[in-house]
Amino acid sequence: STEVPSYVTKCPSNGLCSRLPPDCMTCNTNYSCIYGKPATFDCRVKPHVHCVDQNNHEQENFTINMTCQFCWQLATTDYVCTNSTNCMTVSCPRQRYNATCTVRDHIHCLGNRVFPKMLYCNWTGGYKWSTALALSITLGGFGADRFYLGQWREGLGKLFSFGGLGIWTLIDVLLIGVGYVGPADGSLYI
């Protein structure tokens, strides 16, 4: 009996070879590529993986185009990291924690697809969303919500324009309500 390798479950059958996840192919490292520049890599599908070219002809050898960079150098949107369970929410300076990050399936990069990374803990300066929203509804015309969040320039603008004659006040109630406007120091609400 022939045993099917575990990676086959991640590999779609009869799709384009250039669209296969990295676990479904082996590629020759292009050592002449220049960091940050487009590069072409010669690849081969792994055993038990079936894919086609643009003309629906089955192929085993193909090339892919990607940016020449290591996996740990990717943009933060291209990988997923574990969250910390021992971060303090209120701390100064901001704490960091060791995370294990995994590159998303559709992204191609050089090196290990699972790598360690030091990430900042989510932190808060002690601002409450409910307090900011209550201030925006009741005293928003005087800029109390913006003063509370540490945005004193906007607070002065609202104070001296009577909340933008009410329009700025209504907009701020909506923006604070959905969480678009937050503390000036970049922290999260409690």
Side-chain angles (χ1 to χ4, degrees), residues 44-58:
R44 180 180 180 83
V45 293
K46 288 186 177 177
H48 303 288
V49 177
H50 302 285
C51 64
V52 296
D53 62 7
Q54 299 288 352
N55 300 322
N56 273 347
H57 296 108
E58 189 167 337

Side-chain angles (χ1 to χ4, degrees), residues 41-91:
F41 291 82
D42 295 321
C43 299
R44 180 180 180 83
V45 293
K46 288 186 177 177
H48 303 288
V49 177
H50 302 285
C51 64
V52 296
D53 62 7
Q54 299 288 352
N55 300 322
N56 273 347
H57 296 108
E58 189 167 337
Q59 67 181 158
E60 291 184 10
N61 298 317
F62 58 97
T63 60
I64 61 168
N65 296 316
M66 65 181 222
T67 304
C68 182
Q69 62 185 352
F70 287 100
C71 295
W72 59 270
Q73 296 171 318
L74 291 170
T76 55
T77 55
D78 292 339
Y79 54 84
V80 179
C81 297
T82 57
N83 288 325
S84 173
T85 55
N86 61 354
C87 278
M88 292 180 54
T89 56
V90 180
S91 67

Side-chain angles (χ1 to χ4, degrees), residues 29-30 32-41 65-79 103 107-113 115 117:
T29 304
N30 183 348
S32 65
C33 72
I34 299 170
Y35 173 75
K37 301 287 184 189
T40 303
F41 291 82
N65 296 316
M66 65 181 222
T67 304
C68 182
Q69 62 185 352
F70 287 100
C71 295
W72 59 270
Q73 296 171 318
L74 291 170
T76 55
T77 55
D78 292 339
Y79 54 84
V103 178
I107 304 295
H108 296 280
C109 56
L110 301 173
N112 294 331
R113 298 187 61 77
F115 54 91
K117 192 159 190 149

Side-chain angles (χ1 to χ4, degrees), residues 13-190:
S13 270
N14 298 324
L16 288 174
C17 292
S18 59
R19 300 267 187 193
L20 285 174
D23 291 340
C24 305
M25 65 179 91
T26 54
C27 296
N28 295 332
T29 304
N30 183 348
Y31 292 105
S32 65
C33 72
I34 299 170
Y35 173 75
K37 301 287 184 189
T40 303
F41 291 82
D42 295 321
C43 299
R44 180 180 180 83
V45 293
K46 288 186 177 177
H48 303 288
V49 177
H50 302 285
C51 64
V52 296
D53 62 7
Q54 299 288 352
N55 300 322
N56 273 347
H57 296 108
E58 189 167 337
Q59 67 181 158
E60 291 184 10
N61 298 317
F62 58 97
T63 60
I64 61 168
N65 296 316
M66 65 181 222
T67 304
C68 182
Q69 62 185 352
F70 287 100
C71 295
W72 59 270
Q73 296 171 318
L74 291 170
T76 55
T77 55
D78 292 339
Y79 54 84
V80 179
C81 297
T82 57
N83 288 325
S84 173
T85 55
N86 61 354
C87 278
M88 292 180 54
T89 56
V90 180
S91 67
C92 187
R94 285 178 70 182
Q95 286 185 333
R96 299 179 119 193
Y97 67 97
N98 288 322
T100 302
C101 301
T102 307
V103 178
R104 296 182 187 275
D105 281 342
H106 65 282
I107 304 295
H108 296 280
C109 56
L110 301 173
N112 294 331
R113 298 187 61 77
V114 177
F115 54 91
K117 192 159 190 149
M118 290 290 288
L119 298 176
Y120 284 109
C121 294
N122 288 337
W123 68 290
T124 179
Y127 299 99
K128 288 187 176 183
W129 172 81
S130 57
T131 304
L133 184 61
L135 285 171
S136 186
I137 293 169
T138 57
L139 299 171
F142 302 108
D145 52 350
R146 294 290 186 147
F147 286 123
Y148 172 72
L149 293 172
Q151 302 170 357
W152 60 272
R153 289 184 187 109
E154 291 85 351
L156 288 173
K158 282 179 78 173
L159 178 65
F160 292 121
S161 69
F162 302 106
L165 297 176
I167 296 171
W168 193 353
T169 303
L170 292 174
I171 292 171
D172 269 0
V173 168
L174 178 67
L175 293 177
I176 291 173
V178 298
Y180 185 77
V181 172
D185 59 6
S187 65
L188 302 174
Y189 287 116
I190 291 178

